Amino acid sequence: MQHFDSDLISRSETTLRRLWPRLEERFGSRVDAWEWETFQKRVETHFASLFAPLFALYGEQYDFFFHLETILQTIAEAWIGRDSELRALDALREEDPTWFQSHRMVGATCYLDLFAGNFDGLREKLPYLKELGITYLHLMPIFRSPEGDNDGGYAVSDYRDVDPALGVQDDLRKVATQLRQHGIAIALDFVLNHTSDEHIWAKRALEGDANYQAYYWMFPDRSLPDAYERNLHDIFPDDHDGSFTYRPRIKRWVWTTFHTYQWDLNYSNPAVLRQMTEEMLFLANVGVEVIRMDAVAFLWKELGTDCQNLPNAHNVLRAMSAAARIAAPAIALKSEAIVHPDEVSKYIHPDECQLSYNPQLMALLWDALATRKTNALRSAMEQRFAIPGGCAWVNYIRCHDDVGWAFSDNDIEAAGFDPRSHRRFLTNFYTGQHEGSFSRGLVFQVNPATGDARVSGMTASLAGLEHALEIGDEEEVELAVRRITLLHGVIVTIGGMPLIYLGDEIAMTNDYRFTEDHQKYTDSRWVHRPPFNWEQSRRRYDSDTPEGRVYEGLLRLIQLRTQSPAFDRAETEFVDVGNEHIFAFFRSRDEHSALVIGNFSEHPQSIEAKRLRNLGLRKTVVDMFRGEVITAGQRLDMEPYQLMVLVTGAQHGMQQDRLTTSPHAQDHQTNE
Ligand code: GLC
C-alpha cells in the first residue's frame, strides 16, 4: 500500500462516505449481504489508492466527483459480473498476492493463429505446453483489428470481439478456464494507448461526433502538432514522419504515435479512463489472469515534453490497478515499457504494475554475446535488478518486437564504450554486417536523422545457428546451441518469470517469407514471427539435432528451476568472479542456494580457486545443469559458452553468513 498524506486520506474518506450509500442503493440488492460486505471491505482498503491518482489526474475539473462516481460504478458492475470460479480465485490470490513470484511460473508467448490455428487448435496443443512446463501463456493480440496491416493485432477495433478467424468470445472464456484447470494462467494484451481507426469510437469521431472526437487527440491545424513535435521522437519512422496523421474527412490532425491507423487515446478526458477501465475489467472477467499493459510510456501527453513516461501516465496505471484490486484481485498487471531502465523501473510497484518486462536484461545479454564481455551486464544488474517486494520481472531473450538497445548510456560508458557507436556496433553485429559476426538479424526502423536502428531476428538466428547451418560447420552449430542455452539459462534462473517465445525452444530460425507479403514486407519483425513448425518440433527428442539439444537444455533448466527451492521467491545477488567473460549470480532462499555462472566467450575460461573460496565454494561442487560433480582444485574451468548451476547451500560448503550480507536482504527484494 502506498502512503498518502493525511489531507488526501481524509479527503478520500469523506468522499467515500458520500459515495457509498449511493453505490449501495444501486448495487447492494443485486448480491447476497455477505458478498456485498466483502466488496465493501475491499473498497475501503483500496479506495485511497483509487482516489489519489484520479484526484491527481482530474481533481481540477469541475465535474471530478461525477467522473469518480462513474468509475466506481464501473468497478462495482465488473465485480458483480465476475463468476464464482473467478471470485474463488480472487480469494485465493488475496491470500497470496505474489503468486506470480513462484518458481513454478514459466511463461511462453505466441500468436494463436501461428501456433495453433485457433482456439480449438490451442486445446490440442496443451500437452506440448505441459511437457515444457509452461504455467503462463501470453497470447498475442486476438481481438478484432483491421484487415491487412494491423501492427500484428496492436491496432484493436474492438476490445471484446475476438478475431472471427480465431473463434468467438465464448471460446476465449472456455480456453481461459481450461488452461487454468491445467495450471496455466492466460495473459492477454490490453492495448490501452490507442485504438485502430476502425474502432467504433474512431468511426463515430470520423462521423463528426464531438464526444468521440474527445476520446482522441485531434487538431484542426498544424499549430499544436508542430509545437508538440518539437520534443517528440519518431517511434516508427519507416511508417510516417512525426506523430500526427491528417484525416481529410474531418479536417483534423490525429495523434498517431505508432502507425497512421493507430489513434492515441486521450486520457486527459476522464470518460476515456472510465471506458478503458471497463474494457480492462472485461478481460479480467473472461478469465485473463495477467494483463499486459501495452506501450504504457505514451499514455500521457504534455506540451514541451517528449510525452513519454510522464507522471500522469503512472497515475492512469495506478487508477486502473486500484480498480483491478477492488473488482478482480486475482489479476496482475504487466507493464510493457521499452524505455530507459530508470524509467522502466518506475512502472513496477504493487500499486501499479506488479510485473514488468526486463528490456535492459534482454539488451545486455545480447551485448555480452557480441562483446564477449559481461561488465556492462553485471554492473547494470547490480544497480537495477532490485525492484520493490511484491513485484517480479518478466525476463526474455526476445519477444515479438525488435531487439532494441534499451540500456543506460552510463553502463556502456563505464564498460569503456561510446554509447552511440556501441549501439551502431551492436546493430551491425546482429545484422551480420560486422566482420566475423555469427548473427543473421535484419534491421528494424532505421532513423536516418539519428542513425538509430533496432534488430529483428529469431533467437537461433541472432545467436549464430542460421549462419552455422548455412556453412555446414558442426563446431559452429555447437557454439550456437550453447549460446542459445546460455541465454535461456540466465532468463530461467535469474529471478522473476522467464518468458519463452514459442519456436525458440526448438531453435527455429528466421522466416523470410514475410518479404513476399505485401502487407508485411515493410515490417521486419515478421522475420521472427513465423508459423510454428510442428514438423521441426518432432526433432526435439533427437539430441543429434540442434532442435533436440536446445530443447533438452531448456527442459532441464525449467525442471531445475521448478524443483530447486533455491529458485523459489529467492534473492538474487550478482557477483564478480574475477573474469570479465563470466556472468555470475547467487540465488538464495533460507538455507538453499545456487550459483549460476555463464561463460560468454567462445574460449575456455576459468575462475581462480581463491575466488571460489571467497564465494563460499568448496573444492567439490555439483553442477545441477549437467548433473556432474566438479572438482576445482586450482581453479574452476569452463568450456566455451558453458552454463553451470552450482549447488551450494549448507551441505555443499556455502558460508551461511554470506546469505545475510546480501545487499538486497533488507528493504528491496529481487525475488520471484
Ligand atoms: C507495443 C507492442 C508492439 C506494438 C506497439 C504499438 O510496443 O509490443 O508490437 O507495435 O506497442 O501498439
Side-chain angles (χ1 to χ4, degrees):
M1 273 283 291
Q2 297 166 79
H3 296 289
F4 301 112
D5 66 43
S6 54
D7 186 39
L8 200 120
I9 296 273
S10 82
R11 215 186 273 230
S12 112
E13 282 170 356
T14 320
T15 307
L16 184 58
R17 267 200 301 279
R18 265 179 44 201
L19 291 181
W20 187 256
R22 299 226 293 256
L23 205 71
E24 188 158 60
E25 198 189 328
R26 195 164 167 159
F27 296 97
S29 59
R30 289 171 57 186
V31 289
D32 290 340
W34 67 268
E35 286 183 302
W36 185 250
E37 232 170 77
T38 317
F39 182 65
Q40 180 171 9
K41 275 206 198 99
R42 260 200 230 143
V43 173
E44 279 166 4
T45 310
H46 299 290
F47 188 73
S49 306
L50 177 71
F51 180 84
L54 289 176
F55 189 73
L57 289 167
Y58 312 118
E60 302 281 291
Q61 301 194 12
Y62 76 95
D63 50 0
F64 168 65
F65 288 98
F66 164 76
H67 289 292
L68 178 67
E69 184 167 7
T70 59
I71 289 169
L72 200 56
Q73 286 166 0
T74 298
I75 295 172
E77 195 67 66
W79 171 74
I80 285 189
R82 207 154 160 77
D83 70 28
S84 54
E85 188 175 329
L86 293 174
R87 292 240 186 121
L89 191 66
D90 287 338
L92 272 177
R93 299 257 164 95
E94 278 185 304
E95 290 295 310
D96 180 20
T98 57
W99 55 278
F100 45 77
Q101 292 177 338
S102 159
H103 62 156
R104 283 193 298 275
M105 295 306 292
V106 178
T109 185
C110 65
Y111 273 98
L112 178 54
D113 56 339
L114 299 176
F115 180 67
N118 54 26
F119 283 111
D120 285 338
L122 184 61
R123 271 180 223 127
E124 283 162 33
K125 304 302 182 200
L126 255 175
Y128 183 82
L129 299 174
K130 293 192 74 167
E131 176 185 297
L132 198 53
I134 300 306
T135 53
Y136 166 106
L137 182 65
H138 170 205
L139 295 179
M140 301 299 297
I142 54 165
F143 292 105
R144 226 161 26 77
S145 58
E147 285 281 318
D149 196 7
N150 53 35
D151 192 23
Y154 282 94
V156 177
S157 301
D158 193 301
Y159 289 101
R160 302 179 194 206
D161 255 10
V162 168
D163 174 354
L166 301 174
V168 294
Q169 208 185 85
D170 207 43
D171 288 329
L172 169 58
R173 198 183 294 268
K174 281 193 200 134
V175 156
T177 309
Q178 199 167 18
L179 286 174
R180 188 171 329 108
Q181 285 160 352
H182 285 269
I184 302 175
I186 191 167
L188 284 190
D189 287 272
F190 184 43
V191 186
L192 74 163
N193 177 67
H194 42 264
T195 73
S196 90
D197 59 358
E198 292 184 10
H199 193 286
I200 185 72
W201 308 331
K203 283 187 180 159
R204 294 257 162 86
L206 279 172
E207 283 156 11
D209 184 327
N211 257 336
Y212 286 102
Q213 289 190 350
Y215 268 41
Y216 301 97
W217 294 89
M218 299 196 164
F219 305 94
D221 56 51
R222 281 295 308 182
S223 53
L224 273 169
D226 284 342
Y228 277 110
E229 271 179 3
R230 253 168 246 138
N231 302 290
L232 299 178
H233 311 288
D234 289 1
I235 304 302
F236 284 166
D238 285 0
D239 184 68
H240 63 294
D241 284 341
S243 299
F244 299 86
T245 303
Y246 189 64
R247 299 300 295 234
R249 186 165 159 201
I250 44 172
K251 300 193 176 61
R252 293 275 190 288
W253 288 91
V254 184
W255 201 310
T256 53
T257 298
F258 294 89
H259 291 97
T260 52
Y261 50 81
Q262 287 164 307
W263 289 13
D264 288 46
L265 285 162
N266 183 350
Y267 282 92
S268 73
N269 175 358
V272 169
L273 189 134
R274 192 212 62 77
Q275 184 66 56
M276 291 304 281
T277 303
E278 188 179 322
E279 304 305 322
M280 180 188 75
L281 294 175
F282 167 81
L283 290 181
N285 281 3
V286 291
V288 177
E289 296 185 41
V290 173
I291 299 187
R292 175 188 180 278
M293 308 297 270
D294 184 63
V296 291
F298 302 92
L299 292 177
W300 197 264
K301 334 276 188 201
E302 244 164 63
L303 200 60
T305 74
D306 67 357
C307 298
Q308 287 193 40
N309 308 306
L310 293 174
N312 275 344
H314 293 278
N315 282 323
V316 169
L317 292 168
R318 285 188 175 228
M320 289 188 167
S321 185
R325 284 286 79 81
I326 299 170
I331 67 165
L333 305 185
K334 173 172 78 166
S335 89
E336 190 250 352
I338 312 302
V339 289
H340 189 282
D342 290 343
E343 297 297 337
V344 172
S345 64
K346 291 183 190 158
Y347 295 94
I348 310 171
H349 190 279
D351 287 335
E352 195 164 327
C353 293
Q354 300 79 32
L355 292 160
S356 164
Y357 281 96
N358 194 347
Q360 176 185 227
L361 176 65
M362 183 268 300
L364 288 172
L365 283 173
W366 291 114
D367 174 73
L369 270 193
T371 60
R372 280 76 164 171
K373 291 188 181 146
T374 65
N375 315 26
L377 173 61
R378 193 185 68 244
S379 82
M381 291 303 123
E382 275 168 359
Q383 292 169 59
R384 297 197 196 84
F385 193 74
I387 51 176
C391 298
W393 286 115
V394 173
N395 299 307
Y396 63 114
I397 300 172
R398 63 94 171 191
C399 63
H400 70 289
D401 282 330
D402 49 289
V403 171
W405 311 119
F407 38 64
S408 140
D409 285 0
N410 296 346
D411 295 331
I412 292 302
E413 271 161 14
F417 303 112
D418 166 60
R420 223 187 147 97
S421 51
H422 192 61
R423 283 196 171 85
R424 208 159 296 155
F425 154 73
L426 289 172
T427 300
N428 285 339
F429 187 91
Y430 283 106
T431 51
Q433 294 168 54
H434 188 83
E435 211 192 316
S437 161
F438 49 72
S439 196
R440 285 288 174 272
L442 299 179
V443 280
F444 178 67
Q445 301 291 343
V446 185
N447 189 331
T450 60
D452 278 350
R454 289 117 75 180
V455 173
S456 295
M458 297 287 284
T459 296
S461 294
L462 296 179
L465 187 60
E466 186 176 327
H467 171 63
L469 292 172
E470 240 166 52
I471 58 172
D473 185 326
E474 257 312 304
E475 255 170 59
E476 283 297 319
V477 170
E478 175 60 20
L479 292 179
V481 165
R482 288 189 184 195
R483 286 187 202 105
I484 300 168
T485 305
L486 176 59
L487 296 183
H488 278 136
V490 174
I491 63 159
V492 169
T493 60
I494 196 167
M497 176 168 53
L499 186 61
I500 299 150
Y501 195 99
L502 290 172
D504 280 357
E505 77 285 10
I506 51 163
M508 283 176 64
T509 50
N510 285 349
D511 184 339
Y512 298 98
R513 282 172 295 181
F514 80 99
T515 52
E516 290 145 30
D517 183 331
H518 71 280
Q519 272 148 12
K520 295 185 173 148
Y521 77 99
T522 53
D523 188 338
S524 70
R525 290 176 299 176
W526 287 102
V527 84
H528 57 241
R529 301 169 178 172
F532 190 84
N533 191 331
W534 290 99
E535 187 58 38
Q536 193 176 347
S537 79
R538 296 214 188 100
R539 295 201 281 277
R540 70 187 185 276
Y541 304 124
D542 180 355
S543 47
D544 288 338
T545 62
E547 290 86 343
R549 275 167 8 236
V550 166
Y551 188 79
E552 199 182 297
L554 181 58
L555 206 57
R556 210 174 314 143
L557 285 163
I558 292 172
Q559 285 163 358
L560 196 147
R561 168 189 168 93
T562 53
Q563 288 167 15
S564 163
F567 296 106
D568 190 18
R569 303 174 192 233
E571 301 273 328
T572 306
E573 186 192 353
F574 297 95
V575 285
D576 182 356
V577 294
N579 180 329
E580 62 177 355
H581 307 288
I582 298 177
F583 182 50
F585 50 85
F586 276 101
R587 299 303 314 285
S588 36
R589 166 135 190 227
D590 306 328
E591 75 275 20
H592 305 283
S593 178
L595 175 63
V596 179
I597 44 179
N599 173 8
F600 274 75
S601 95
E602 66 269 62
H603 302 294
Q605 298 294 335
S606 53
I607 304 176
E608 295 307 318
K610 199 172 79 195
R611 289 277 181 169
L612 294 174
R613 278 195 302 278
N614 287 346
L615 294 171
L617 296 176
R618 286 220 179 116
K619 266 194 195 147
T620 309
V621 285
V622 177
D623 173 16
M624 289 199 281
F625 182 56
R626 286 201 181 162
E628 284 174 359
V629 176
I630 300 170
T631 310
Q634 295 307 306
R635 50 173 209 243
L636 178 71
D637 291 320
M638 297 187 80
E639 294 169 14
Y641 298 119
Q642 187 175 0
L643 171 81
M644 290 179 173
V645 181
L646 304 178
V647 193
T648 56
Q651 68 278 38
H652 293 287
M654 179 75 197
Q655 287 170 0
Q656 288 309 299
D657 59 353
R658 67 183 316 290
L659 288 178
T660 52
T661 59
S662 157
H664 313 307
Q666 300 90 25
D667 51 345
H668 269 83
Q669 284 175 289
T670 58
N671 48 16
E672 285 184 83

